[in-house]
């Protein structure tokens, strides 16, 4: 499955100042890792973006347009804090920045864990 190169480039632009940024093929798409942990992944089935956020805040995040709890395969939950976001909900830069920032915040809070 191909991932959205334009979305990947937009994420690269947001993460450009992350010294430990690494890209890796994962989940059938392209994942962006910071401090060795996934922040975002582009190209997840019919969902545009997969992010890892604070699981305690997941109910809050699921209130945003296009956000759903992430599942793998036939209804297998990925666990608290894994969220997929529809492409239509990422059309403006502020929306994409919001999701990447939320994932970076969780990443920073779990550094070394």
């Amino acid at each position: 499955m191909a991932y959205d190169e334009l979305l990947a480039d937009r994420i690269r632009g947001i993460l450009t100042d992350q010294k430990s940024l690494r890209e890796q093929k994962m989940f059938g798409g392209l994942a962006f890792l910071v401090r060795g942990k996934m922040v975002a992944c582009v190209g997840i089935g019919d969902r545009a973006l997969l992010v890892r956020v604070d699981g305690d805040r997941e109910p809050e995040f699921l209130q945003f347009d296009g956000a759903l709890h992430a599942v793998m395969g036939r209804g297998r939950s990925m666990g608290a804090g894994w969220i997929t976001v529809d492409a239509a909900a990422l059309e403006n830069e502020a929306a994409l920045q919001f999701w990447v920032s939320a994932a970076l915040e969780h990443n920073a809070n779990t550094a070394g864990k």
Side-chain angles (χ1 to χ4, degrees):
M1 166 191 325
Y3 58 86
D4 183 337
E5 283 284 351
L6 179 57
L7 182 57
D9 285 342
R10 291 170 61 206
I11 292 171
R12 281 184 196 102
I14 293 170
L15 295 175
T16 191
D17 63 338
Q18 299 295 318
K19 292 181 181 14
S20 62
L21 178 63
R22 184 168 53 94
E23 296 180 20
Q24 178 176 326
K25 290 184 179 183
M26 187 183 296
F27 301 121
L30 181 66
F32 294 86
L33 293 86
V34 174
R35 291 181 281 279
K37 296 180 183 179
M38 195 199 83
V39 170
C41 186
V42 178
I44 310 304
D46 60 346
R47 310 295 289 180
L49 183 69
L50 172 69
V51 291
R52 177 72 168 117
V53 298
D54 181 346
D56 291 339
R57 294 184 61 197
E58 182 173 326
E60 169 192 343
F61 289 128
L62 291 177
Q63 299 303 307
F64 288 87
D65 287 341
L68 289 173
H69 177 76
V71 294
M72 294 290 280
R74 295 182 179 229
R76 279 188 1 214
S77 170
M78 288 186 67
W82 290 94
I83 295 177
T84 57
V85 185
D86 286 329
L90 300 169
E91 290 177 355
N92 70 61
E93 291 308 307
L96 181 59
Q97 179 71 52
F98 170 82
W99 287 110
V100 173
S101 294
L104 281 172
E105 179 181 319
H106 175 71
N107 181 283
N109 289 338
T110 60
K113 293 182 183 178

